Amino acid sequence: GAVVSQHPSWVICKSGTSVKIECRSLDFQATTMFWYRQFPKQSLMLMATSNEGSKATYEQGVEKDKFLINHASLTLSTLTVTSAHPEDSSFYICSATPGTGAMEQYFGPGTRLTVT
Amino acid sequence: GENVEQHPSTLSVQEGDSAVIKCTYSDSASNYFPWYKQELGKRPQLIIDIRSNVGEKKDQRIAVTLNKTAKHFSLHITETQPEDSAVYFCAAITTGGFKTIFGAGTRLFVKA
């Protein structure tokens, strides 16, 4: 149980284009989903927290107009990197919390974004 | 701002020995402390967690202790095996505001 999928697993795009990453909870309803960014050999940095049906809460320093998050249903959240630049290249991981009040976060497999 | 300090950054042990990783958090509102294991290129996997109303929790070879007064918690792995080699992250979470802060990670090497 508590499986989270992400798509695509990797993507290469040209500078200036936009990329959408999907995060799905497969066997549970996720009231809250989280988006993280991880650089090589570094820790996970929380980018934003999204609750189904409401606007995402972004961490300080994360541009909400650049990283668009949509949590349209209890099983799907999307992250769109708009006008991507090489410095946006990173490993993006989502996680989801089952139910309301639950604490455990279950992570997706991550998406490796390379912007050329 | 709030942060989580994790030590050591690298830990090398002989197979069968114990490994201890320590984290200190700053936000007194943190009430949930999970530990994750991440192998290269893979997702973090929850290995054990502890809530703020508990001082210690054990699951086979893995244990976690929490000292709320000192704001630190530790991961203990006994009888280490080569497959325990990975990066381990601690996190401090405030569930009310869903504030999540990860430690910098500890790269554990278990030598056969």
Side-chain angles (χ1 to χ4, degrees):
Chain A
V3 178
V4 177
S5 70
Q6 255 182 267
H7 178 80
S9 55
W10 60 271
V11 57
I12 301 173
C13 71
K14 292 186 177 181
S15 188
T17 61
S18 295
V19 173
K20 180 185 283 188
I21 302 170
E22 292 186 349
C23 177
R24 294 181 185 273
S25 56
L26 300 184
D27 53 0
F28 65 96
Q29 293 188 329
T31 307
T32 304
M33 287 184 168
F34 306 84
W35 286 96
Y36 295 86
R37 184 173 180 176
Q38 186 176 34
F39 290 107
K41 297 185 178 182
Q42 292 191 23
S43 188
L44 293 94
M45 298 299 296
L46 181 64
M47 300 175 65
T49 302
S50 74
N51 291 294
E52 183 263 340
S54 61
K55 290 184 179 181
T57 301
Y58 289 82
E59 294 299 302
Q60 193 171 9
V62 178
E63 300 176 57
K64 59 181 180 182
D65 294 331
K66 181 168 183 61
F67 298 100
L68 301 178
I69 292 172
N70 185 8
H71 193 156
S73 76
L74 285 171
T75 59
L76 173 65
S77 177
T78 60
L79 167 68
T80 301
V81 183
T82 63
S83 187
H85 291 284
E87 56 266 31
D88 297 325
S89 299
S90 188
F91 194 49
Y92 292 87
I93 310 179
C94 70
S95 71
T97 299
T100 302
M103 295 178 171
E104 297 86 355
Q105 293 185 32
Y106 295 94
F107 284 85
T111 297
R112 185 160 302 283
L113 169 64
T114 302
V115 184
T116 60
Chain B
E2 298 91 354
N3 73 317
V4 175
E5 292 187 3
Q6 184 172 345
H7 298 281
S9 56
T10 305
L11 179 60
S12 185
V13 300
Q14 203 68 35
E15 182 179 4
D17 288 349
S18 295
V20 180
I21 303 171
K22 298 182 179 182
C23 287
T24 303
Y25 61 98
S26 61
D27 188 355
S28 56
S30 297
N31 57 349
Y32 174 61
F33 308 92
W35 285 89
Y36 291 90
K37 175 183 179 182
Q38 187 178 31
E39 297 177 21
L40 188 63
K42 296 189 177 181
R43 76 185 83 193
Q45 297 273 11
L46 178 70
I47 57 171
I48 197 167
D49 56 10
I50 192 166
R51 305 188 182 198
S52 59
N53 58 347
V54 177
E56 184 174 355
K57 183 177 178 180
K58 187 174 182 180
D59 183 4
Q60 299 182 348
R61 296 188 297 111
I62 296 173
V64 57
T65 59
L66 171 66
N67 182 329
K68 280 185 61 180
T69 303
K71 293 185 189 157
H72 73 243
F73 55 113
S74 301
L75 176 71
H76 304 252
I77 305 174
T78 58
E79 300 172 34
T80 53
Q81 301 165 2
E83 49 266 38
D84 293 331
S85 297
V87 179
Y88 291 81
F89 292 100
C90 65
I93 297 177
T94 306
T95 55
F98 272 118
K99 187 75 176 175
T100 301
I101 303 175
F102 277 79
T106 296
R107 191 168 297 275
L108 174 65
F109 297 96
V110 180
K111 296 177 287 186

